Amino acid sequence: MSFNSFGGIWFSLAVLLVYQLIKGHKNQNIFLLCASLYFYATSSILFSSLLFATIYIGFTSGLIINHALEKGKSARLHVTMSIIAQIITLGIFKYHNFFVESFATTLNSFGLNPNFSTLKIILPVGISFYIFQTIGYIIDVARKDTKAHSDIVEFALFVSFFPQLVAGPIERSKNLLSQIASPREQVGKKDVTYGVFLIIQGYVKKVVIADNLAPYVDTIFTYDNISSPIICVGLLLFAIQIYGDFSGYTDIARGFSRLLGFRILLNFDRPYAARSPADFWRRWHISLSRWFTEYVYIGLGGNRSKSALRRNTNVMATMTLSGLWHGASLNFILWGAYHGVVILIGRIVGKISPNFLKNSTLGTLLSIIITFMISLYGWMYFRITSIDQLIEYNKSLIMRWDGYNVALSFLAQSAPFLILWLVLDIVELYWLDVHAQKVKRYRWITLYMGIMLMIVFILHAPDPSSFIYFRF
């Protein structure tokens, strides 16, 4: 089940209606947990047991770790074992075949012919998200940033809360779990306005912008006579497609959560307006970036390391692992490593740049343009999984400059959706306070939402596609 399917829409409306009739947050939690487990089962009933196992491991581990800490004992062994159990689960389902095939290829290069077998495994929906969320909770308990939760229903709902279960944001216990454990605040007019606004924006981004751009992107990246102008247009369209697809899901999830009385984490903050590669990652998939910063980068020593080499190594390791999180493929590793390199280069450039460029409108504009171009090139390693095709595209990007008419044709056909994306981005900038999660301007908002809703009904893609991040 998905938010962009009729079944997902009717399910969400039914949950919202019944939820309002239930009194008491304990009863509401039980209902939401049942709804969340049903929602997940419709997408992956075979792997519901895996979700249950993750909930059980996280819940019992938190209690055991908390008990040890209260007794003044070390909980390091149990923390390690709990995290390893989660990582092994993720590794079997997501990375086993990749590492087996990579190891076999390496041995083949030395003249050896190993006979390793791979597993015929379907990747469980949302496994990377809910396992990382559970690992974060275990580490928070071990660091005493949060107390272990003793209510299994509340903890299970924290892990399986259906609006953000299969594609994030990756929630923190201090945010979502604390809201689940507390009586709901009254959902007021401002909450409804903000929630509905986000939901409509999310549907425009997904079913109008992303899904209508998808055929152009697919055509370009399977085009036989590829050249630099065509690649550049393809990367531009894919950049907007993946942003509309992923941020659209997040908007719907956050908007619907708001109607239920929850405020889940901000996951996007106009990333294509970033001024540096590091700033891009503070704005794109924010919950994942913070997860890797707090649990991997800081765990490796972060900026506390005295050696510049060690600090740079920490950045590269963190970004490479972040790339691997997205998929069991070499292209994702290269994508993560690429962003690690450009972040380090960005730090150097930031130190040596003249002050007048740092503090001027021209300097800001140049920084945004350069950062956008850097992210565009990086998307090629995200979109193309074949290494041979990546090599071919890099050669064409440098050496082939024909195909301008084809590139302009693709750009002209997709222009309405690019313009619509800019409209949404500008409206969000001036009408929303994304960090405070509130609407700043109400005067024209009802008319605007009505127009956007009409656009959804009229311009929605005839062939809707699943959300891109469902595969991670």
Side-chain angles (χ1 to χ4, degrees):
M1 190 183 299
S2 173
F3 286 135
N4 64 327
S5 68
F6 284 110
I9 294 171
W10 285 114
F11 172 82
S12 301
L13 292 174
V15 168
L16 183 62
L17 176 62
V18 176
Y19 179 81
Q20 302 302 324
L21 301 176
I22 299 174
K23 304 299 180 184
H25 78 283
K26 295 284 187 182
N27 294 328
Q28 290 175 331
N29 288 342
I30 294 173
F31 170 70
L32 286 178
L33 176 59
C34 293
S36 297
L37 296 178
Y38 172 78
F39 181 86
Y40 189 78
T42 60
S43 299
S44 185
I45 192 169
L46 293 175
F47 295 114
S48 293
S49 58
L50 186 61
L51 177 61
F52 295 149
T54 302
I55 292 170
Y56 176 77
I57 292 172
F59 180 72
T60 55
S61 297
L63 292 176
I64 294 171
I65 293 166
N66 197 73
H67 180 72
L69 294 175
E70 288 179 345
K71 296 293 184 180
K73 299 178 182 179
S74 174
R76 179 170 295 180
L77 177 61
H78 196 82
V79 172
T80 303
M81 295 300 293
S82 301
I83 294 174
I84 288 175
Q86 301 276 21
I87 291 177
I88 287 176
T89 302
L90 184 61
I92 290 173
F93 284 93
K94 190 169 184 177
Y95 300 108
H96 175 272
N97 290 348
F98 169 68
F99 285 117
V100 167
E101 292 169 357
S102 298
F103 186 55
T105 301
T106 302
L107 293 180
N108 282 330
S109 66
F110 288 98
L112 302 175
N113 296 302
N115 186 22
F116 295 133
S117 60
T118 56
L119 302 176
K120 295 181 179 179
I121 298 177
I122 300 173
L123 182 66
V125 175
I127 185 173
S128 298
F129 290 91
Y130 64 74
I131 282 184
F132 266 44
Q133 189 159 305
T134 307
I135 290 175
Y137 166 79
I138 292 170
I139 296 174
D140 284 344
V141 172
R143 291 177 175 176
K144 299 182 179 181
D145 290 338
T146 189
K147 291 206 70 174
H149 213 70
S150 58
D151 189 311
I152 183 62
V153 172
E154 292 174 354
F155 181 79
L157 180 57
F158 162 68
V159 177
S160 64
F161 186 53
F162 79 89
Q164 51 85 221
L165 170 61
V166 293
I170 301 172
E171 271 292 343
R172 300 291 301 274
S173 57
K174 288 184 290 186
N175 182 53
L176 181 57
L177 187 51
S178 61
Q179 294 180 67
I180 291 172
S182 306
R184 306 290 108 83
E185 294 183 5
Q186 184 70 29
V187 176
K189 181 180 177 181
K190 292 183 178 180
D191 298 301
V192 172
T193 303
Y194 187 80
V196 173
F197 183 92
L198 283 181
I199 291 171
I200 293 174
Q201 290 278 97
Y203 276 109
V204 175
K205 289 178 181 179
K206 169 57 180 170
V207 304
V208 178
I209 296 176
D211 286 355
N212 276 306
L213 289 178
Y216 298 113
V217 174
D218 292 341
T219 300
I220 289 174
F221 283 97
T222 55
Y223 200 72
D224 292 331
N225 195 24
I226 201 70
S227 65
S228 185
I230 299 173
I231 293 173
C232 290
V233 171
L235 291 175
L236 172 64
L237 299 186
F238 179 67
I240 307 307
Q241 179 203 357
I242 193 171
Y243 173 70
D245 191 284
F246 194 18
S247 70
Y249 175 91
T250 301
D251 285 348
I252 296 169
R254 292 179 65 235
F256 189 75
S257 299
R258 187 62 169 267
L259 297 180
L260 294 171
F262 298 96
R263 296 192 178 198
I264 62 176
L265 294 173
L266 178 70
N267 216 21
F268 290 91
D269 185 8
R270 301 178 65 248
Y272 294 140
R275 301 182 184 184
S276 69
D279 188 31
F280 175 82
W281 282 101
R282 286 190 288 267
R283 295 165 174 262
W284 176 275
H285 204 343
I286 297 170
S287 62
L288 181 68
S289 299
R290 288 179 178 173
W291 196 98
F292 271 100
T293 298
E294 294 184 22
Y295 302 127
V296 178
Y297 182 68
I298 292 176
L300 291 173
N303 291 329
R304 301 191 309 275
S305 303
K306 294 182 180 180
S307 166
L309 177 61
R310 178 62 184 274
R311 292 194 298 271
N312 294 341
T313 302
N314 293 343
V315 172
M316 287 300 303
T318 301
M319 293 308 301
T320 303
L321 287 172
S322 174
L324 183 61
W325 176 91
H326 285 80
S329 179
L330 181 58
N331 68 293
F332 289 115
I333 296 175
L334 293 174
W335 179 67
Y338 166 77
H339 278 280
V341 170
V342 295
I343 284 173
L344 295 178
I345 293 174
R347 287 182 176 182
I348 297 172
V349 172
K351 290 179 181 179
I352 63 176
S353 295
N355 287 329
F356 78 88
L357 281 179
K358 295 179 182 179
N359 303 318
S360 66
T361 302
L362 175 60
T364 299
L365 183 60
L366 286 174
S367 299
I368 291 173
I369 293 172
I370 292 171
T371 302
F372 183 61
M373 293 173 66
I374 288 171
S375 68
L376 278 189
Y377 176 72
W379 285 128
M380 185 164 67
Y381 293 85
F382 191 101
R383 180 60 174 75
I384 301 175
T385 57
S386 166
I387 299 303
D388 290 337
Q389 190 179 1
L390 278 171
I391 294 172
E392 177 192 349
Y393 271 55
N394 274 293
K395 287 181 179 177
S396 298
L397 200 59
I398 298 171
M399 301 175 64
R400 290 202 54 187
W401 289 87
D402 56 317
Y404 280 101
N405 291 336
V406 175
L408 289 174
S409 176
F410 278 117
L411 193 60
Q413 293 175 64
S414 57
F417 306 109
L418 301 181
I419 294 170
L420 183 58
W421 163 66
L422 285 174
V423 170
L424 265 62
D425 211 42
I426 293 170
V427 166
E428 288 182 357
L429 173 64
Y430 288 103
W431 288 20
L432 292 186
D433 186 333
V434 294
H435 296 283
Q437 298 198 35
K438 67 179 183 180
V439 175
K440 292 191 294 186
R441 299 188 180 186
Y442 285 91
R443 186 175 181 182
W444 298 102
I445 198 166
T446 303
L447 177 61
Y448 171 80
M449 290 193 295
I451 293 172
M452 289 297 117
L453 198 57
M454 288 177 59
I455 287 175
V456 170
F457 284 118
I458 296 171
L459 297 180
H460 68 274
D463 298 313
S465 58
S466 62
F467 289 92
I468 292 174
Y469 267 69
F470 276 16
R471 71 189 67 165
F472 305 134

